[in-house]
Amino acid sequence: MGGICSRKRQVIEDDLHRGVSGRYCRSAITKWLRERSLRSRTNHFLGVGTFSPLMDLCINKMREDFHKYHMFSILPRHISQQIFNELVDSHCLTEASLNAFRDCALEDVYLREYLGVNDDWMNVIASQGSSLLAVDVSGSNVTDSGLRLLKNCSNIQALTLNYCDQFSEHGLKHINGLSNLASLSIRKSCAVTPDGMRAFSNLINWEKLDLERCSYIHGEFVHFKGLKKLESLNIGCCKCITDSDMKAISGFINLKELQISNNNITDLGISYLRGLQKLATLNVEACNIIVAYCVEKEKRKTSNDEEGHVTARSAATSARTGKGVSPIGGEVEADVEAGGKLVHCDGPFAFMADDLLCTTVEIMGKSTYGTI
């Protein structure tokens, strides 16, 4: 029944386990991300599903009588963790009962949208010290002072501060020393300003960065050239991302997932991503994109195919009917240049989304409106 050793924290999507408070407007990108969640939140906790029925009864009894206990630090860590989780899930945890978990060496503290979370709670959370691996205080009233308390939790790997509006860019400077941080999520925050982003630009171990709905991050990705491990980036609905930002993002060579929906990005910005060989998912919903990205070249047996020129609508019609169709008058022809498995198209296209769905493409992911 001793404590179980630490393990590397995998990326934790903030849409897991509980529903989202009605005061937050959920975007299409958020719903899309939920479908791609890794594992259920409960599977991240050590000891879940491994307790004997007798131990489960004991933990349930302690949860029911938690007000009788003033200190859980004498218990093995994984048992204290399970009791903490049970109290959170049953919404029985209060500021008074939280103090019983001071110095318990908890690894996971998930308090997303939990009522009453403030700097006083952060004081107890920070008391877990180097054992703490993941913290989620989304929707809380944590301020700069609360974030400062985390500076001694040097082993934190995942930090989620979504929809927190009480801390500033100065508070973000306090996470600068969390060198093991692999996942950072700060959705819809005015604190993510140019100064705020520069404050943690030297953290090079990130694998996941989520800045959805942060409206002041334009031009700041040039300061993140060292993010060679970054695999997932979400900057959807920021409204401020432009083609120049995409040029800086093209330097994240290990990027596998990129969410850039609802931004001011054009075909030029998408063209910068050609060198991202590992990119498997790209969401460009509601962007100014005309040319399809990552379309696999189809050998169409038409009279135009011999010259290497086809129009978008004739290609779509050919795919629907299986017969070669001559170009429709008045439409602009596009030069299709093959490069490996990808095709780069020069020139404007005169087709709609339904035409794309009729051609041979590489499936990149699913959005609210269908498969990309």
Side-chain angles (χ1 to χ4, degrees):
M1 291 172 54
I4 299 178
C5 62
S6 301
R7 78 285 188 214
K8 184 175 168 80
R9 175 77 42 222
Q10 292 192 7
V11 174
I12 301 170
E13 299 293 348
D14 79 336
D15 293 319
L16 298 177
H17 192 68
R18 290 197 196 88
V20 178
S21 172
R23 64 177 173 144
Y24 302 133
C25 177
R26 310 301 291 179
S27 65
I29 174 62
T30 303
K31 296 177 182 177
W32 187 80
L33 278 171
R34 180 182 301 172
E35 297 176 358
R36 295 183 54 80
S37 298
L38 296 179
R39 295 184 292 173
S40 66
R41 168 178 171 266
T42 53
N43 285 340
H44 286 281
F45 296 128
L46 294 180
V48 173
T50 63
F51 290 121
S52 66
L54 179 59
M55 181 60 69
D56 286 335
L57 289 174
C58 291
I59 290 176
N60 289 333
K61 182 62 177 177
M62 295 180 73
R63 184 196 65 183
E64 294 172 0
D65 300 332
F66 68 91
H67 57 279
K68 298 180 180 180
Y69 303 95
H70 303 287
M71 182 175 61
F72 290 112
S73 59
I74 60 176
L75 296 175
R77 176 170 57 189
H78 65 290
I79 296 180
S80 298
Q81 179 75 69
Q82 183 66 11
I83 295 173
F84 178 84
N85 299 341
E86 292 286 346
L87 290 176
V88 173
D89 291 341
S90 59
H91 297 277
C92 294
L93 189 67
T94 64
E95 184 175 339
S97 59
L98 177 67
N99 279 294
F101 293 95
R102 186 179 296 274
D103 301 318
C104 281
L106 300 179
E107 294 186 343
D108 305 296
V109 176
Y110 294 105
L111 294 169
R112 181 171 62 88
E113 298 176 20
Y114 202 92
L115 294 178
V117 178
N118 54 31
D119 290 346
D120 292 332
W121 290 55
M122 292 297 289
N123 188 286
V124 178
I125 294 171
S127 73
Q128 313 308 317
S130 59
S131 296
L132 194 61
L133 298 180
V135 177
D136 186 344
V137 290
S138 297
S140 69
N141 292 317
V142 173
T143 68
D144 294 349
S145 297
L147 293 181
R148 179 175 57 84
L149 295 172
L150 294 177
K151 65 180 181 180
N152 294 324
C153 303
S154 57
N155 289 325
I156 291 182
Q157 298 172 9
L159 179 61
T160 305
L161 303 169
N162 297 333
Y163 315 113
C164 295
D165 54 10
Q166 298 300 313
F167 64 82
S168 67
E169 65 270 18
H170 301 293
L172 294 179
K173 296 179 182 179
H174 296 308
I175 69 174
N176 190 39
L178 303 179
S179 58
N180 291 310
L181 196 62
S183 173
L184 177 65
S185 182
I186 313 178
R187 292 186 178 183
K188 199 177 182 181
S189 174
C190 294
V192 187
T193 62
D195 287 340
M197 290 188 69
R198 293 189 195 111
F200 49 75
S201 60
N202 64 328
L203 299 178
I204 60 175
N205 290 320
W206 281 343
E207 296 177 7
K208 175 183 179 292
L209 180 60
D210 189 343
L211 300 175
E212 181 181 303
R213 295 178 178 270
C214 293
S215 303
Y216 304 104
I217 60 177
H218 167 63
E220 294 307 310
F221 287 101
V222 294
H223 302 292
F224 291 80
K225 295 181 180 179
L227 294 183
K228 303 301 182 181
K229 298 181 180 180
L230 190 66
E231 296 182 355
S232 176
L233 176 62
N234 179 12
I235 47 176
C237 302
C238 291
K239 305 290 186 181
C240 62
I241 303 299
T242 64
D243 292 342
S244 61
D245 294 300
M246 300 305 294
K247 186 174 183 179
I249 290 173
S250 67
F252 304 155
I253 58 176
N254 281 313
L255 204 61
K256 297 178 180 179
E257 180 176 356
L258 179 58
Q259 309 290 334
I260 53 175
S261 63
N262 289 278
N263 279 297
N264 301 316
I265 300 170
T266 68
D267 295 353
L268 176 62
I270 296 299
S271 68
Y272 291 132
L273 305 179
R274 293 194 200 109
L276 299 180
Q277 300 298 321
K278 297 182 180 180
L279 188 62
T281 302
L282 175 65
N283 190 331
V284 295
E285 181 181 338
C287 292
N288 299 319
I289 306 299
I290 300 177
V291 178
Y293 178 73
C294 210
V295 179
E296 186 178 358
K297 185 178 181 181
E298 178 185 10
K299 293 182 179 180
R300 300 179 179 90
K301 296 181 180 180
T302 64
S303 58
N304 297 323
D305 189 44
E306 295 178 357
E307 299 178 359
H309 294 79
V310 294
T311 64
R313 192 166 298 280
S314 67
T317 305
S318 178
R320 284 195 294 265
T321 62
K323 300 177 181 179
V325 180
S326 59
I328 299 175
E331 291 190 359
V332 181
E333 292 188 350
D335 181 30
V336 181
E337 178 183 335
K341 293 184 178 180
L342 305 182
V343 173
H344 170 58
C345 305
D346 291 325
F349 271 60
F351 56 62
M352 303 299 289
D354 56 340
D355 295 321
L356 279 177
L357 296 176
C358 297
T359 62
T360 301
V361 299
E362 178 180 350
I363 297 178
M364 303 182 66
K366 293 184 178 180
S367 72
T368 306
Y369 305 104
T371 301
I372 298 176

